[in-house]
Short mmCIF file of all heavy atoms in Angstrom, two decimals:
data_model
loop_
_atom_site.label_atom_id
_atom_site.label_comp_id
_atom_site.label_asym_id
_atom_site.label_seq_id
_atom_site.Cartn_x
_atom_site.Cartn_y
_atom_site.Cartn_z
N ASP E 1 1.19 21.19 -27.54
CA ASP E 1 1.20 19.92 -28.27
C ASP E 1 -0.12 19.24 -27.95
O ASP E 1 -0.55 19.23 -26.79
CB ASP E 1 2.34 19.01 -27.82
CG ASP E 1 3.71 19.61 -28.05
OD1 ASP E 1 3.88 20.38 -29.01
OD2 ASP E 1 4.61 19.31 -27.25
N ILE E 2 -0.76 18.68 -28.97
CA ILE E 2 -1.99 17.91 -28.79
C ILE E 2 -1.72 16.53 -29.35
O ILE E 2 -1.27 16.39 -30.48
CB ILE E 2 -3.18 18.58 -29.52
CG1 ILE E 2 -3.34 20.03 -29.04
CG2 ILE E 2 -4.46 17.78 -29.28
CD1 ILE E 2 -4.36 20.82 -29.83
N LEU E 3 -1.96 15.49 -28.51
CA LEU E 3 -1.65 14.13 -28.89
C LEU E 3 -2.85 13.21 -28.75
O LEU E 3 -3.66 13.39 -27.86
CB LEU E 3 -0.52 13.59 -28.02
CG LEU E 3 0.77 14.40 -28.02
CD1 LEU E 3 0.90 15.15 -26.72
CD2 LEU E 3 1.93 13.51 -28.24
N ASP E 4 -2.91 12.22 -29.62
CA ASP E 4 -3.87 11.13 -29.52
C ASP E 4 -3.05 9.92 -29.10
O ASP E 4 -2.35 9.33 -29.92
CB ASP E 4 -4.56 10.90 -30.87
CG ASP E 4 -5.58 9.77 -30.84
OD1 ASP E 4 -5.72 9.11 -29.79
OD2 ASP E 4 -6.23 9.54 -31.86
N GLY E 5 -3.10 9.59 -27.81
CA GLY E 5 -2.18 8.57 -27.28
C GLY E 5 -0.78 9.15 -27.34
O GLY E 5 -0.52 10.22 -26.82
N SER E 6 0.12 8.48 -28.03
CA SER E 6 1.47 9.02 -28.21
C SER E 6 1.65 9.63 -29.60
O SER E 6 2.72 10.15 -29.92
CB SER E 6 2.51 7.92 -27.98
OG SER E 6 2.33 6.89 -28.93
N ALA E 7 0.59 9.57 -30.42
CA ALA E 7 0.66 10.12 -31.78
C ALA E 7 0.33 11.61 -31.79
O ALA E 7 -0.74 12.01 -31.32
CB ALA E 7 -0.29 9.38 -32.70
N PRO E 8 1.23 12.45 -32.30
CA PRO E 8 0.95 13.88 -32.31
C PRO E 8 -0.16 14.24 -33.31
O PRO E 8 -0.20 13.73 -34.42
CB PRO E 8 2.27 14.52 -32.74
CG PRO E 8 3.11 13.43 -33.27
CD PRO E 8 2.55 12.13 -32.81
N ILE E 9 -1.07 15.09 -32.86
CA ILE E 9 -2.09 15.66 -33.74
C ILE E 9 -1.60 17.02 -34.21
O ILE E 9 -1.69 17.36 -35.38
CB ILE E 9 -3.43 15.80 -33.00
CG1 ILE E 9 -3.96 14.42 -32.59
CG2 ILE E 9 -4.46 16.54 -33.86
CD1 ILE E 9 -5.16 14.46 -31.67
N ALA E 10 -1.09 17.81 -33.28
CA ALA E 10 -0.50 19.13 -33.57
C ALA E 10 0.62 19.35 -32.57
O ALA E 10 0.47 19.05 -31.38
CB ALA E 10 -1.55 20.22 -33.45
N SER E 11 1.75 19.87 -33.02
CA SER E 11 2.90 20.06 -32.14
C SER E 11 3.48 21.46 -32.28
O SER E 11 3.56 22.00 -33.39
CB SER E 11 4.02 19.06 -32.48
OG SER E 11 3.59 17.75 -32.26
N GLY E 12 3.86 22.04 -31.15
CA GLY E 12 4.55 23.32 -31.16
C GLY E 12 3.71 24.49 -31.63
O GLY E 12 4.25 25.47 -32.11
N ARG E 13 2.40 24.40 -31.45
CA ARG E 13 1.51 25.49 -31.87
C ARG E 13 1.53 26.60 -30.82
O ARG E 13 1.40 26.33 -29.63
CB ARG E 13 0.08 25.00 -32.06
CG ARG E 13 -0.09 23.92 -33.11
CD ARG E 13 -0.20 24.57 -34.48
NE ARG E 13 -0.24 23.60 -35.54
CZ ARG E 13 -1.21 23.49 -36.43
NH1 ARG E 13 -2.27 24.27 -36.35
NH2 ARG E 13 -1.14 22.62 -37.39
N GLY E 14 1.68 27.83 -31.27
CA GLY E 14 1.62 28.97 -30.36
C GLY E 14 0.20 29.19 -29.87
O GLY E 14 -0.75 29.11 -30.66
N LEU E 15 0.06 29.45 -28.58
CA LEU E 15 -1.26 29.68 -27.98
C LEU E 15 -1.55 31.18 -28.02
O LEU E 15 -1.06 31.95 -27.20
CB LEU E 15 -1.28 29.15 -26.54
CG LEU E 15 -2.62 29.21 -25.81
CD1 LEU E 15 -3.68 28.39 -26.56
CD2 LEU E 15 -2.48 28.70 -24.39
N HIS E 16 -2.34 31.59 -29.01
CA HIS E 16 -2.69 32.98 -29.22
C HIS E 16 -4.20 33.11 -29.30
O HIS E 16 -4.87 32.22 -29.83
CB HIS E 16 -2.08 33.51 -30.53
CG HIS E 16 -0.60 33.37 -30.61
ND1 HIS E 16 0.26 34.14 -29.88
CD2 HIS E 16 0.18 32.51 -31.33
CE1 HIS E 16 1.51 33.79 -30.16
NE2 HIS E 16 1.49 32.80 -31.02
N PRO E 17 -4.77 34.21 -28.80
CA PRO E 17 -6.22 34.40 -28.87
C PRO E 17 -6.75 34.32 -30.30
O PRO E 17 -6.16 34.89 -31.23
CB PRO E 17 -6.44 35.79 -28.28
CG PRO E 17 -5.24 36.04 -27.43
CD PRO E 17 -4.11 35.33 -28.11
N GLY E 18 -7.86 33.59 -30.45
CA GLY E 18 -8.56 33.53 -31.73
C GLY E 18 -7.96 32.60 -32.78
O GLY E 18 -8.50 32.49 -33.87
N ILE E 19 -6.88 31.92 -32.47
CA ILE E 19 -6.23 31.04 -33.44
C ILE E 19 -6.60 29.60 -33.14
O ILE E 19 -6.38 29.11 -32.03
CB ILE E 19 -4.68 31.20 -33.41
CG1 ILE E 19 -4.28 32.64 -33.65
CG2 ILE E 19 -4.01 30.24 -34.39
CD1 ILE E 19 -4.65 33.18 -35.02
N ASN E 20 -7.15 28.90 -34.14
CA ASN E 20 -7.52 27.49 -33.99
C ASN E 20 -6.25 26.64 -33.96
O ASN E 20 -5.52 26.59 -34.95
CB ASN E 20 -8.45 27.07 -35.13
CG ASN E 20 -8.86 25.61 -35.06
OD1 ASN E 20 -8.57 24.91 -34.10
ND2 ASN E 20 -9.54 25.15 -36.09
N LEU E 21 -6.01 25.97 -32.84
CA LEU E 21 -4.81 25.12 -32.72
C LEU E 21 -4.85 23.93 -33.67
O LEU E 21 -3.82 23.31 -33.92
CB LEU E 21 -4.67 24.63 -31.29
CG LEU E 21 -4.37 25.72 -30.25
CD1 LEU E 21 -4.44 25.14 -28.84
CD2 LEU E 21 -3.00 26.33 -30.50
N LEU E 22 -6.04 23.60 -34.18
CA LEU E 22 -6.17 22.46 -35.09
C LEU E 22 -6.31 22.89 -36.55
O LEU E 22 -6.58 22.06 -37.42
CB LEU E 22 -7.36 21.59 -34.67
CG LEU E 22 -7.25 20.97 -33.28
CD1 LEU E 22 -8.53 20.23 -32.93
CD2 LEU E 22 -6.06 20.04 -33.21
N ASP E 23 -6.12 24.18 -36.82
CA ASP E 23 -6.24 24.67 -38.19
C ASP E 23 -5.19 24.01 -39.08
O ASP E 23 -4.02 23.94 -38.73
CB ASP E 23 -6.05 26.19 -38.20
CG ASP E 23 -6.46 26.80 -39.53
OD1 ASP E 23 -7.37 26.27 -40.18
OD2 ASP E 23 -5.87 27.84 -39.90
N GLY E 24 -5.64 23.50 -40.21
CA GLY E 24 -4.75 22.85 -41.15
C GLY E 24 -4.41 21.41 -40.83
O GLY E 24 -3.64 20.77 -41.54
N VAL E 25 -4.98 20.87 -39.76
CA VAL E 25 -4.73 19.49 -39.35
C VAL E 25 -5.89 18.62 -39.84
O VAL E 25 -7.05 18.97 -39.64
CB VAL E 25 -4.59 19.37 -37.81
CG1 VAL E 25 -4.41 17.94 -37.39
CG2 VAL E 25 -3.45 20.24 -37.32
N LEU E 26 -5.57 17.51 -40.46
CA LEU E 26 -6.62 16.61 -40.95
C LEU E 26 -7.15 15.78 -39.79
O LEU E 26 -6.58 14.75 -39.43
CB LEU E 26 -6.08 15.70 -42.05
CG LEU E 26 -5.62 16.42 -43.32
CD1 LEU E 26 -5.00 15.42 -44.29
CD2 LEU E 26 -6.78 17.16 -43.97
N THR E 27 -8.21 16.26 -39.18
CA THR E 27 -8.83 15.58 -38.05
C THR E 27 -10.30 15.96 -37.99
O THR E 27 -10.69 16.99 -38.50
CB THR E 27 -8.12 15.95 -36.72
OG1 THR E 27 -8.76 15.26 -35.66
CG2 THR E 27 -8.18 17.43 -36.44
N ASP E 28 -11.09 15.13 -37.37
CA ASP E 28 -12.51 15.43 -37.21
C ASP E 28 -12.82 15.91 -35.80
O ASP E 28 -13.95 15.84 -35.35
CB ASP E 28 -13.37 14.21 -37.57
CG ASP E 28 -13.09 13.01 -36.66
OD1 ASP E 28 -12.16 13.08 -35.85
OD2 ASP E 28 -13.81 12.01 -36.78
N LEU E 29 -11.81 16.43 -35.11
CA LEU E 29 -12.01 16.87 -33.72
C LEU E 29 -12.77 18.18 -33.61
O LEU E 29 -13.43 18.42 -32.63
CB LEU E 29 -10.66 17.01 -33.01
CG LEU E 29 -9.94 15.72 -32.68
CD1 LEU E 29 -8.60 16.01 -32.04
CD2 LEU E 29 -10.80 14.86 -31.76
N GLY E 30 -12.66 19.07 -34.57
CA GLY E 30 -13.31 20.37 -34.48
C GLY E 30 -12.28 21.47 -34.33
O GLY E 30 -11.24 21.43 -34.97
N ALA E 31 -12.57 22.45 -33.46
CA ALA E 31 -11.67 23.60 -33.28
C ALA E 31 -11.33 23.77 -31.81
O ALA E 31 -12.17 23.59 -30.94
CB ALA E 31 -12.33 24.86 -33.81
N VAL E 32 -10.07 24.14 -31.55
CA VAL E 32 -9.61 24.46 -30.20
C VAL E 32 -8.92 25.81 -30.29
O VAL E 32 -7.98 25.98 -31.07
CB VAL E 32 -8.61 23.40 -29.66
CG1 VAL E 32 -8.07 23.81 -28.31
CG2 VAL E 32 -9.26 22.03 -29.58
N TYR E 33 -9.43 26.78 -29.53
CA TYR E 33 -8.89 28.14 -29.62
C TYR E 33 -8.95 28.84 -28.27
O TYR E 33 -9.75 28.49 -27.41
CB TYR E 33 -9.63 28.95 -30.68
CG TYR E 33 -11.12 29.03 -30.43
CD1 TYR E 33 -11.68 30.06 -29.69
CD2 TYR E 33 -11.98 28.04 -30.93
CE1 TYR E 33 -13.03 30.11 -29.45
CE2 TYR E 33 -13.34 28.09 -30.69
CZ TYR E 33 -13.85 29.13 -29.95
OH TYR E 33 -15.21 29.17 -29.69
N LEU E 34 -8.09 29.83 -28.11
CA LEU E 34 -8.06 30.63 -26.89
C LEU E 34 -8.95 31.85 -27.09
O LEU E 34 -8.89 32.51 -28.12
CB LEU E 34 -6.63 31.07 -26.58
CG LEU E 34 -6.42 31.71 -25.22
CD1 LEU E 34 -6.53 30.66 -24.12
CD2 LEU E 34 -5.07 32.39 -25.16
N GLU E 35 -9.74 32.14 -26.08
CA GLU E 35 -10.64 33.29 -26.10
C GLU E 35 -10.24 34.21 -24.96
O GLU E 35 -10.06 33.75 -23.83
CB GLU E 35 -12.07 32.78 -25.90
CG GLU E 35 -13.16 33.77 -26.07
CD GLU E 35 -14.50 33.07 -25.93
OE1 GLU E 35 -14.96 32.91 -24.77
OE2 GLU E 35 -15.07 32.68 -26.96
N GLY E 36 -10.07 35.50 -25.23
CA GLY E 36 -9.71 36.44 -24.17
C GLY E 36 -8.35 37.06 -24.41
O GLY E 36 -7.91 37.20 -25.55
N GLU E 37 -7.67 37.41 -23.32
CA GLU E 37 -6.37 38.07 -23.40
C GLU E 37 -5.24 37.12 -23.79
O GLU E 37 -5.36 35.91 -23.60
CB GLU E 37 -6.02 38.70 -22.04
CG GLU E 37 -6.93 39.82 -21.62
CD GLU E 37 -6.52 40.43 -20.29
OE1 GLU E 37 -5.42 40.13 -19.78
OE2 GLU E 37 -7.34 41.20 -19.75
#
């Protein structure tokens, strides 16, 4: 879960390599992704 204060930005996203956790979210934060195994 990624929150701005108590407001959710993204919730319940699976943490998988190469997947942007912010994909499809209307935000100007950029990209957050797991690299590696």
Side-chain angles (χ1 to χ4, degrees):
D1 299 329
I2 305 172
L3 303 107
D4 180 356
S6 61
I9 297 171
S11 296
R13 299 276 174 122
L15 185 60
H16 303 287
I19 303 297
N20 179 7
L21 294 172
L22 298 175
D23 192 31
V25 177
L26 296 175
T27 180
D28 61 353
L29 288 177
V32 176
Y33 57 91
L34 190 72
E35 188 176 84
E37 295 181 11

